[in-house]
Amino acid sequence: MIVAALTEAGHDAVADTVILLASELCENSVLHAGTEFDVTLRIDAAEVVVTVSDRGAGPLEQHLSQPRRRYGRAAAHGRGLQLLSKLATAWGTRHEQDGTHRTWFSIAIGEPAFAPARPAPAAEPDAVPMLPSERVRRLLHLPPDLAGRLDAGELVAELVRRLWEVLDAEAVVVEVDEGDGSGPRIVARSGPLPEVGPSSPAATIVALPTTAPLRGSLLVRHHDGAVPPPDSADLAELVANRVAMAVESAWLRDVDQRRRAWLAYLADTSELLGQSLDVELTVAVVPQVVVPRLGAWCAVHLLDDAGRLRLAALTHADEERLPELRAALEGLNRSTELRAGLAELLSGTLGPVRFTVPTDGVAVPLTSHGTTTGTLSVGRPVDRPHGPEDVALIADVARRAALAVHNAQVTAAHVRVSQALQRALLPRALPVVEGLDLAAQYLPASTGSDVGGDFYDVYPLGAARWLVAIGDVCGTGAGAAARTGLMRDVLRVLVREGRPLVRAIELLNDVMLESGDPLQFATLAAALVSMREPAGGGRELEVQLVLAGHLQPLVVRPDGRVDLIGEHGTAVGLVERLDLTCTTHVLGPGDTLLLYTDGVTERRRGDEQFGVERLRRAGGAAAGRPAARLLTVVRAALGRFTASPHDDDIALLALRAEPSA
């Protein structure tokens, strides 16, 4: 249509230029406005005027013509409008109140097709100068449906492009510095220049009104020799305010997402550090949660008993560099800077202390309950130095690690005390007597700080006489340990003074009742064992046995028979009057007496217990064997019954009358 009209009017010389520019405007309407458009052509003797009208808000080249670009990448567009400004004699754009957007251009008849554009003629109806309110509307107005589809980066790019068009500037650039040490970066740009900076000539620079540490600027560079519009500074400031809102909103959203991620990271760190109360395991976890998120390597130094720092844990993102790093950190005397920094932390400096050897990094103290127990050193990440946020997170991890290490150290101390107390409640060694074979095993349910209530005792009363006892105090912990020690010592004293076994246990019951704690009762199997030599030769053992609420012992005969002996009586520490019976038994050569606690018979596999019958079969399988072999067979039977950890203490005591040579 345009070609035919120009040919008919005799203006073939400008037809190519008119078609090129009209195509650009129509393409903009299709791609960017997304609405129907109208093309009008006016031809007179002096010029050709083409107007393209659409219902869009403007040529949003970033939005619909290309995939969306993420916030932070520079934008460059408007090439169609550049052609318009270079080839047209005059051109302009305006928005009507009904929402119509018109873009027009004119080509003068008889002038060169590539002549520089001149201002629009005052008589042209479409070339009426844009009023201030219209310029502001052209800069900032976005239809609600379009504004909701633009992200922060696209919105900033659109505002920059509009300012570039309205001011007819050579370039408009927005730079932002997020205060993280990475420096300023261009987030949006319109214009042909590859680089634009504050030193550029004829430039207007407006600071973005953002909240610290976020900083930014909007730069407008005008064409060399061009006179900027009188309101260019005001319009640039207006756009800068709108850009600042978009930039700060995106920045705050990113900060919030990072903080949420860090909170989740710190919560996971606390969970990992709290999963073990073993000092070495806890310390080993610390570098693993730090690398590589907060640094390329991490080391933990702890104070030893002599007050010197020792390397307790170390890891590196590159495992091949671990030996070199370990050598550098273990030889602190060869690293004056690092040694001085760590010593400064130990002297009370809250930190952090920065160092450059063996690589750049920061060190913070491991402080818990006001006491510094070591240091945490973190090498810088591979691609950047530690920023303020990194240092704050390292310090937070150090506080959590220090608390976990302190708890593990306190628990380890409790375990050492508890295990020492547990060992003190058992005989240091069993007597070695010719003709008497003794063996004992104690398997606590916990190897931690809990002290079990099971015990056994073999106490010599003379050359061929012994007090043999095994018992089970209700409960665990310090209270049960105290009650165990009381029972063992009181029973020893009473029997050594010549009290009969029944009377000694009754007096022990009186002592236990004085504490007024009925929950601290106990079962007890006590026996006076005497060795004698019968007239027929060999050795045999006489056993006087009293059961105070305890399980019946087993006697394993050499021929495989297994007998339960003793009569049940009342547990000690429950009631004032006890019902006890002393029974006498003889162990001939090769007979073995097996005493045990309920941790053996009550061992569970689901709802099923190990029971006395299985114990008898196990004992019979070891008939005629030494006492230690009998205990080994019983333990093997327990293991075959169930492999799960036992939840109750187990005490086993066996004494055997050795047969004659």
Side-chain angles (χ1 to χ4, degrees), residues 74 278 587:
D278 181 84
L587 300 182

Side-chain angles (χ1 to χ4, degrees), residues 173-238:
V173 178
V174 172
E175 284 188 345
V176 172
D177 185 347
E178 296 186 352
D180 57 0
S182 60
R185 57 190 176 87
I186 296 177
V187 299
R189 183 182 70 200
S190 284
L193 294 181
E195 294 184 4
V196 179
S199 61
S200 302
T204 300
I205 301 177
V206 180
L208 300 182
T210 56
T211 305
L214 187 65
R215 295 176 299 173
S217 62
L218 183 146
L219 181 145
V220 179
R221 177 172 176 176
H222 306 285
H223 295 280
D224 294 342
V227 178
D231 59 350
S232 63
D234 294 336
L235 294 178
E237 183 175 359
L238 189 63

Side-chain angles (χ1 to χ4, degrees), residues 243-553:
V243 167
M245 293 173 59
V247 169
E248 186 161 359
S249 175
W251 177 74
L252 290 174
R253 184 167 53 252
D254 291 343
V255 169
D256 181 65
Q257 291 176 351
R258 286 199 304 273
R259 288 179 177 173
R260 290 175 181 270
W262 287 127
L263 288 175
Y265 165 70
L266 291 174
D268 293 341
T269 298
S270 296
E271 183 178 356
L272 288 173
L273 293 173
Q275 287 183 353
S276 173
L277 291 176
D278 181 84
V279 177
E280 293 185 0
L281 182 57
T282 301
V283 173
V285 169
V286 177
Q288 303 299 326
V289 300
V290 172
V291 176
R293 193 156 193 171
L294 296 176
W297 59 268
C298 177
V300 177
H301 286 84
L302 295 181
L303 288 172
D304 59 17
D305 295 336
R308 296 186 300 266
L309 282 175
R310 65 173 180 87
L311 183 62
L314 173 67
T315 192
H316 197 296
D318 184 1
E319 294 185 359
E320 294 182 356
R321 300 188 60 185
L322 267 177
E324 176 187 357
L325 180 62
R326 183 179 298 277
L329 294 177
E330 287 180 341
L332 288 180
N333 292 331
R334 299 191 298 271
S335 177
T336 305
E337 180 189 9
L338 182 57
R339 185 183 71 246
L342 299 186
E344 184 179 350
L345 294 176
L346 295 177
S347 65
T349 302
L350 296 178
V353 170
R354 294 187 178 270
F355 55 84
T356 58
V357 177
T359 61
D360 293 349
V362 295
V364 294
L366 294 175
T367 303
S368 176
H369 302 286
T371 302
T372 299
T373 57
T375 60
L376 176 67
S377 306
V378 183
R380 59 167 288 175
V382 177
D383 57 344
R384 58 182 174 82
H386 283 125
E389 189 177 60
D390 296 322
V391 176
L393 284 165
I394 291 172
D396 202 331
V397 171
R399 286 191 294 270
R400 297 166 190 258
L403 182 59
V405 171
H406 172 77
N407 291 339
Q409 290 174 335
V410 170
T411 301
H414 288 170
V415 169
R416 288 194 297 270
V417 172
S418 299
Q419 296 303 312
L421 179 57
Q422 185 80 73
R423 290 191 298 269
L425 297 176
L426 302 173
R428 294 184 180 179
L430 296 176
V432 178
V433 180
E434 184 180 356
L436 179 62
D437 181 16
L438 288 169
Q441 290 191 14
Y442 180 73
L443 307 175
S446 170
T447 57
S449 59
D450 289 337
V451 181
D454 289 15
F455 72 96
Y456 64 87
D457 191 22
V458 179
Y459 182 65
L461 299 174
R465 195 163 179 261
W466 301 270
L467 170 64
V468 177
I470 191 168
D472 185 359
V473 176
C474 180
T476 60
R483 187 58 59 95
T484 300
L486 173 70
M487 289 181 60
R488 187 192 66 173
D489 294 340
V490 169
L491 188 61
R492 281 183 174 186
V493 171
L494 293 174
V495 174
R496 188 176 57 196
E497 291 181 352
R499 298 294 205 295
L501 199 52
V502 172
R503 181 56 181 163
I505 296 176
E506 290 174 345
L507 293 175
L508 172 62
N509 183 66
D510 295 339
V511 173
M512 295 183 66
L513 289 176
E514 289 177 358
S515 66
D517 187 358
L519 296 179
Q520 288 291 317
F521 67 93
T523 64
L524 174 67
L528 291 176
V529 179
S530 303
M531 182 180 293
R532 64 188 186 184
E533 297 182 1
R539 297 185 180 91
E540 61 183 18
L541 300 177
E542 180 182 272
V543 179
Q544 298 179 28
L545 177 65
V546 177
L547 301 180
H550 204 80
L551 299 169
Q552 289 179 294

Side-chain angles (χ1 to χ4, degrees), residues 1-8 19 38-41 43 50-51:
M1 179 191 72
I2 295 177
V3 174
L6 292 174
T7 301
E8 184 179 350
I19 290 299
D38 297 323
V39 180
T40 60
L41 175 68
I43 303 175
V50 177
T51 302

